[in-house]
Amino acid sequence: MSASGPRLQPTIFELSRPGRGAGKVPHPPADALDRLPAQHRRERPAALPEVNEPEAVRHYVNLSQMNHAVDTGFYPLGSCTMKWNPKVNEWAARQPGFAQLHPLAPDAIAQGTLQLLWELEQILIEISGMHAVTLQPAAGAHGELTGILMVREYHRAQGDMDRTDVLVPDSAHGTNPATATMAGLRTISIKAAPDGGIDLDGFKAALGPTTAAVMITNPSTLGIFESRIGDLLDAVHAAGALAYMDGANLNAILGRFKPGEAGFDVMHINTHKTFSTPHGGGGPGAGPVAVGEKLEPFLPAPRVLRQADGSFRLERVGERPTSIGRMRSFVGSTGVLVRAYAYLRTHGASGLAEITDDAVLAANYLKQRLADSGAYDIPFPGVCKHEFIASATSIKKKTGVRTLDIAKRLLDHGFHAPTVYFPLTVDEAMLIEPTETESIETLDAFADALVAIAREAEADPETVKTAPHTAPVRRLDEAGAARNPNLRWRPAAGDWTPCPD
Amino acid sequence: MAPPDLRYTKDHEWVRVEGDTATIGVTDFAANQLGDVVFVDLPAVGKAVEQFATFGVVESVKAVSDLYAPLSGEVVAVNGDLGSKPELVNSDPFGDGWMIRVKVGDTTQVDELLDAAGYEKLTAEA
Amino acid sequence: MAYGPHTPADRQRMLAALRMDSVDDLFADIPVGLRSSPLRLDPPEPEQLLMRRLDGLAAKNRVDLASFLGAGAYRHFSPPLVDQILLRGEWYTAYTPYQPEVSQGTLQSIYEYESLLAELVGLDVVSASHYDGAAATAEAALMTCRATGRGRVLVSRAVHPHYREVLRTYFHGNGLHFEEIPLAAEGSVAGTTDLAELERRLGDAENPVAGVVLAQPNFYGLLEPMRDASDLVHAAGALFVAVVEPVSLAVLAPPGAYGADIAAGEGQALGIPPQYGGPYLGILACTEPLVRQIPGRLVGMTTDVDGRRAYVMTLQAREQHIRREKAASNICTNQTLLALAASVWLAALGPHGLRDVAALGAARAAELEAALASVGVARVHAGAYLNEFAVRVPNAPAVHRELLERGVLAGLVLAEAVPDEPALADALLVCATEMTTGDDVATFAREIGALLADAGAGAGGSAAAAPVGVTA
């Protein structure tokens, strides 16, 4: 680590000097490319940077030190479930037997991975209370699209061509309506009931012969269990539609609520939320989808099959014509799935139940701490699940300090901000999710910091409004970035800000 | 403050009618709600717009909003300055931040719009 | 519990603050009829035992064979510095950089990735990543529809079958149509896209085309006439999508050079291990006028209030969290860590190293072609290739199985991968990279030569059922 702490770095291009680097691979024969016709040859070599190993490593190490990460501190991000990323999972995924296996390797030489994937499916079937699973989707949103495409195909297979509406609560995550659009369906947003939960009458009024599905997050994006969910599911099925559960909040219900048992027809799971696979700065994740019997024929191909002799194989091309087809190349983001598998086996039944109990306990404790302080509005003060909403509406009215400012000031306290301005239905929202892996000392310190900032908003609002003060950079000109996008480094002189050193 | 000589839609567009030409933009209220405007997607000259139908999109850093035409007609001018200076929508929404000019078919459509007092009432309740 | 910090005393304290006796009180809001049955799963597995069992599972995979399998996922040398960087917790346990002030590492690394790929591909706008090459290609096709307002896309059958299948899934039932352009069957262009057919389909004035998708190199390893295709496409007012293999771009003309509007491709070859399918790296790039149509995150350079150079996610109004049902794509989580992996790999190798990797593969592939030809196994196609090509092998599935037992992973059985190309029923798609050794090549040639000789002589072996000396 550099002695002066996290420092800004020039781009890798600015470190380049002609003649630096090389020595990693042998030289090819001089005539290696002679047989390539001239019209296909690259005329101008790509201006990639030439750096030696020390320069390259220092560059990436120094950059990394400007990041907040789970390995450095707390992320109270609602809806993201930023729990600990276990180190044994990194070991598991890197085992050469897993990491070096080609995705088109014949089944006979892939039995270890095929068995792991099949066992993972069985575990997810049990957790979800569903009937079958696909591990193909590369992310939660990818899983959503997979699920909704299966729903659409199910209706069409029944000759039901008019079911083109998807109903979502107005607190839904943006991926839900975006998914419906990608599937060629129309989104109808249903306003919440006064208690923040689904408005049963609102949904019932909208349900009908044109409804393909409802997409529900449970617990909701307000962190509250939808106690009316049973009635909703009955109404959905009575209308001939199917029920999709957005599994983003699965951390709140492990061992307490199985969506498939309750009547959901399909759900996706975010392994990078509930099952600890690391976020990597924005990905990769994985979005397995679990389905009930109705949708099983439509699962993406190829499925992993267990044969009578206990060996495993992939479905062959064209083997199951009812499938919606492929959502991606190859079988799935197996490296991510190996990590999820290791996590699930580490915890087992009792460990998973404990995760949910501790996550919910921690969230309610933190909510109580804030409620007791009186420093923030708690719009839904009743029992929450794994996350809860606080609002800065009163603070804003009194001092002009907004949730955005409080979020930035938290950075100075060494915490990442919570999720802000989501869900869209709550004014000056902060969605706070501690997860089960933060110590009570961390929870108390976080609550103390939030309270201190609220007091500071009254005593010295300017400091809060201009935060952060101690991060490697301060507030950014996001408008300028969007008005005049600079999306790539250009080596020639031009309109760019001088190199940091 | 909503200029008194303009008329307004419920979606915060304003229109100034001079003869059969209408100049259209969004109000300061809308600009405030959006935050720093970064891009305005406007129709080409010659395109037809329909009252209360969308004619474009305004984008800020954190939000996006459809633009609804207060009156029907044909686009005769588009504010070319908004391409390089979208911030005009924030700094001068009723003046240099104008968006399109339209040759109006039926000026009686103005009667379906809010006047300044009506618009003030709408924004006060928001 | 494995990673949880809460002691019974901690839990007591928290419950006390809530004035509750039991954590069950916090789940009273779940209606009794909806409470789940207990989880029927194995008990927790301590790390030591888990690692032993995972070792056992990994050992059931064979990764030690002389492999000639490519077909969209390629083995390349990765200098150890790459993985050591990727193991830094500040990289892999960081969240999406929505709070840019504490995410400058991730943000700058994405900007650098965008810049590196822009150089390689020759297009100015590169997204922060998509899921994989197939999803990126499907999104590229959708982009052409949005940008042109047309609903018809033409895709060459020389594009990877998985990519075409994903396109089919994404296009199905959306009111958009895609058609496949067949392969040229005869002569020196056999195995590449039938340009005459492409031109004919582009000429249907009643059904204007939004976009055309070709791969370079194509699935069969052959080099396509991308400039000629690009000209045809643009003459019809459509957009040209090139599906690329990034390592080849060190030596092949990039999409920017032949006028492609959009490039999509698989970044796995940039030093990312095969991992049985992912996580991989979807490359998606476009020309500047199309920037508002490109899905996925974009990172740009800007300044902070003190004038420092800084990086931030920008043009976010395109994305689902703002545009919701009007967003071009629902993508949220992408493949950021893999974009970092690719960037570090490119920095570790440098432009000369990358070119050497491509050239070494080409040289080894030429050796492979010659070695196979010397035992009577000839190429199916005549056209130019970089490092992958198809060879004619009678009874290819059986030969492939037999070679596996003899320690050779002899590429891909095309009859199984593209059963709808009957002309390739008796063929294997083989590839060589800088990781392929001379011994590997010699072993492959020796074993397949022996197998086919045995088959010819009618003596023993599972390939004995093959018809004598049959070539298509």
Side-chain angles (χ1 to χ4, degrees), chain C residues 113-198:
Chain C
Y113 163 78
E114 290 169 357
S115 305
L116 291 164
L117 266 293
E119 259 306 304
L120 213 45
V121 162
L123 297 175
D124 281 333
V125 178
V126 179
S127 87
S129 69
H130 213 81
Y131 305 135
D132 69 352
T137 302
E139 292 273 16
L142 291 171
M143 276 173 77
T144 67
C145 297
R146 281 196 301 280
T148 60
R150 300 171 175 181
R152 185 176 169 225
V153 170
L154 305 179
V155 182
S156 167
R157 285 172 68 102
V159 168
H160 197 295
H162 290 189
Y163 293 26
R164 287 182 283 128
E165 285 174 58
V166 173
L167 253 165
R168 180 170 296 115
T169 307
Y170 274 52
F171 269 58
H172 180 60
N174 281 356
L176 301 170
H177 305 280
F178 93 94
E179 297 156 32
E180 295 187 329
I181 307 294
L183 305 176
E186 309 279 311
S188 60
V189 295
T192 63
T193 308
D194 185 338
L195 278 198
E197 183 58 25
L198 171 62

Side-chain angles (χ1 to χ4, degrees), chain C residues 61-118:
Chain C
N61 296 334
R62 297 268 326 264
V63 294
D64 56 320
L65 304 166
S67 174
F68 296 85
L69 182 52
Y74 301 96
R75 281 188 317 149
H76 286 296
F77 172 70
S78 183
L81 81 87
V82 178
D83 199 46
Q84 290 183 26
I85 297 290
L86 296 175
L87 272 167
R88 293 188 69 86
E90 299 96 323
W91 285 123
Y92 81 89
T93 72
Y95 179 60
T96 310
Y98 289 118
Q99 297 295 342
E101 299 89 345
V102 293
S103 315
Q104 286 299 294
T106 292
L107 287 163
Q108 182 169 337
S109 76
I110 297 172
Y111 180 84
E112 291 181 1
Y113 163 78
E114 290 169 357
S115 305
L116 291 164
L117 266 293

Side-chain angles (χ1 to χ4, degrees), chain A residues 93-180:
Chain A
R94 285 173 167 79
Q95 289 315 100
F98 293 132
Q100 298 305 325
L101 187 63
H102 192 288
L104 297 172
D107 295 338
I109 61 170
Q111 288 297 302
T113 294
L114 289 173
Q115 179 174 341
L116 184 151
L117 294 175
W118 187 88
E119 288 186 19
L120 177 59
E121 287 185 13
Q122 304 316 304
I123 294 172
L124 296 179
I125 286 168
E126 174 59 24
I127 287 171
S128 63
M130 295 280 187
H131 184 73
V133 162
T134 173
L135 298 174
Q136 225 189 75
H142 206 206
E144 287 182 37
L145 181 60
T146 304
I148 292 299
L149 287 177
M150 286 195 277
V151 166
R152 196 187 67 180
E153 214 40 51
Y154 167 82
H155 289 308
R156 288 181 185 184
Q158 313 237 304
D160 223 339
M161 309 305 273
D162 294 329
R163 291 193 180 268
T164 52
D165 291 336
V166 173
L167 309 186
V168 307
D170 59 356
S171 56
H173 192 273
T175 51
N176 294 170
T179 293

Side-chain angles (χ1 to χ4, degrees), chain A residues 47 152 181 261 329 354 444, chain C residues 1 13 37 119 132 172 325:
Chain A
R152 196 187 67 180
T181 300
E261 269 182 8
S329 57
E354 213 170 64
D444 283 336
Chain C
M1 202 239 300
R13 220 181 98 201
S37 50
E119 259 306 304
D132 69 352
H172 180 60
E325 70 271 5

